[in-house]
Amino acid sequence: MLNNKTILVTGGTGSFGKKFLEMVLNRYEPHRIIIYSRDEYKQSVIKSEYAKKYDMSKVRFFIGDVRDKERLMRAFDHVDYVIHAAAMKQVPTCEYNPFEAIKTNVHGAQNVIDAAIDRGVKKVVALSTDKAVNPINLYGGTKLVSDKLFISANAYSKISGTKFSVVRYGNVAGSRGSVIPIFKSIIEQGGDELTITDPRMTRFWITLEQGVELVFKALKESTGGETYISKIPSFRITDLAQAMLPGAKMKEIGIREGEKLHEVMVTKDDSYLTYEYDKHYIIYPHFDWWEFDESRIGNGKKVEEGFEYNSGTNTEWLDAEALKTQLKSLGF
């Protein structure tokens, strides 16, 4: 699929970008991979770290910001596929700097869309988040708008033009935005009490590898307008605490601003447009320009009306013992 293709990743120095680069180099023979980001230090770290394991002759590093449309136009020249991972993601930072979050997450998304269409990119896959579903904070609000822009971009690119799709998942296990590094830091400092915001809290469990695999699926199968969601297990925050520090005391500190008790990936209102597959769900668009075609649906089965994919009501769970196994595989 990606052999002899040129792929560009915006925000490519983040956790996702690094894992995506690793998996592409292990699995495919691309013509070129472009890592596009504004952090020169992180780019230099990746260069030196990956040069020990891979042939980096096909990897290019572009300094640039998704806010800069002219730079995107230059970077997207002769690019086949774009993975849009660049975003301001920290909820408190977005709340305190709302104008900046809008410039990156909304205006930046529009710039990526315009550049992709004008440069003839074949497919764009944009990374979304559970926080874009019924958002209660500014970050979620900007990502909701971003998702809508990418889906509607298919109306601008026409049938034979750029295909845009979205991949949605929550905090990746072990990433900087997850609770695992926080618990790990407390444990390494000799603490025996882990802070939890609410004992009822649940989350979906997804690894970086699973996130990248879902992007590969979207690149391979999307026809434009789909939102992909992986079928993944849930876990309770209290079970995670016990898995990381058996017998740990837990201090409840209250839900933080903009935080939810449970992650929601598919809302009840989305159920009218959602189809279930073996390992994922797809929410299809509902616009005049999107033609319903059985060939697009494939072997998908429409979910029941009122279906909601919620980490608190999920049918698959990881208990403390299963979480220990998962954590060990991640190096925690």
Side-chain angles (χ1 to χ4, degrees), residues 8-76:
L8 182 145
V9 187
T10 69
T13 51
S15 300
F16 172 87
K18 291 176 67 178
K19 180 58 68 172
F20 181 85
L21 176 61
E22 175 187 317
M23 290 176 68
V24 170
L25 291 174
N26 280 332
R27 192 175 300 184
Y28 298 101
E29 292 292 336
H31 174 67
R32 186 167 66 250
I33 304 177
I34 300 169
I35 301 299
Y36 183 96
S37 77
R38 60 186 182 180
D39 194 322
E40 59 180 319
Y41 173 70
K42 287 182 182 176
Q43 288 192 4
S44 68
V45 169
I46 292 176
K47 284 181 189 178
S48 59
E49 178 184 336
Y50 279 52
K52 300 171 185 176
K53 300 180 285 184
Y54 303 105
D55 175 8
M56 296 292 282
S57 62
K58 296 180 179 180
V59 182
R60 301 287 183 271
F61 291 87
F62 277 39
I63 294 293
D65 196 313
V66 292
R67 300 181 182 191
D68 187 345
K69 188 174 178 180
E70 288 185 8
R71 183 57 170 158
L72 284 171
M73 291 290 287
R74 177 68 66 191
F76 281 23

Side-chain angles (χ1 to χ4, degrees), residues 7 46 83 247 263 275:
I7 312 108
I46 292 176
I83 313 302
E263 290 180 337
Y275 283 74

Side-chain angles (χ1 to χ4, degrees), residues 101-280:
I102 290 169
K103 287 176 186 176
T104 296
N105 296 356
V106 178
H107 298 163
Q110 185 172 350
N111 288 339
V112 168
I113 291 165
D114 285 337
I117 292 173
D118 291 347
R119 286 301 191 210
V121 172
K122 292 180 177 66
K123 285 188 180 182
V124 177
V125 176
L127 302 192
S128 182
T129 168
D130 66 285
K131 295 175 182 65
V133 181
N134 294 335
I136 60 171
N137 53 57
L138 185 79
Y139 168 54
T142 61
K143 291 300 288 184
L144 169 64
V145 174
S146 174
D147 289 359
K148 295 290 187 182
L149 288 173
F150 278 104
I151 298 303
S152 294
N154 290 280
Y156 289 86
S157 62
K158 309 303 180 185
I159 295 173
S160 60
T162 309
K163 309 299 182 188
F164 297 88
S165 61
V166 171
V167 163
R168 178 184 294 161
Y169 47 78
N171 282 338
V172 174
S175 67
R176 285 176 297 173
S178 75
V179 71
I180 294 173
I182 297 173
F183 285 175
K184 183 173 183 285
S185 176
I186 294 172
I187 294 167
E188 287 178 342
Q189 293 173 29
D192 61 355
E193 184 178 70
L194 300 180
T195 56
I196 60 172
T197 53
D198 192 295
R200 298 168 295 171
M201 189 165 289
T202 66
R203 289 293 181 263
F204 284 109
W205 180 276
I206 189 169
T207 64
L208 277 172
E209 288 84 355
Q210 289 173 308
V212 174
E213 290 288 1
L214 191 60
V215 169
F216 285 162
K217 176 172 282 293
L219 283 173
K220 182 180 180 180
E221 300 177 2
S222 63
T223 60
E226 305 94 336
T227 300
Y228 289 78
I229 300 110
S230 283
K231 284 185 179 180
I232 44 180
S234 295
F235 67 94
R236 294 175 177 82
I237 295 298
T238 51
D239 285 339
L240 177 65
Q242 289 297 329
M244 295 190 70
L245 185 62
K249 302 173 187 174
M250 298 183 204
K251 179 182 179 182
E252 186 177 348
I253 58 176
I255 294 176
R256 296 172 296 181
E257 183 179 359
E259 190 173 38
K260 296 180 181 180
L261 272 180
H262 310 291
E263 290 180 337
V264 178
M265 299 291 185
V266 179
T267 68
K268 293 179 181 179
D269 291 322
D270 285 328
S271 65
Y272 304 101
L273 308 167
T274 302
Y275 283 74
E276 181 179 6
Y277 297 81
D278 286 344
K279 296 182 179 180
H280 64 286

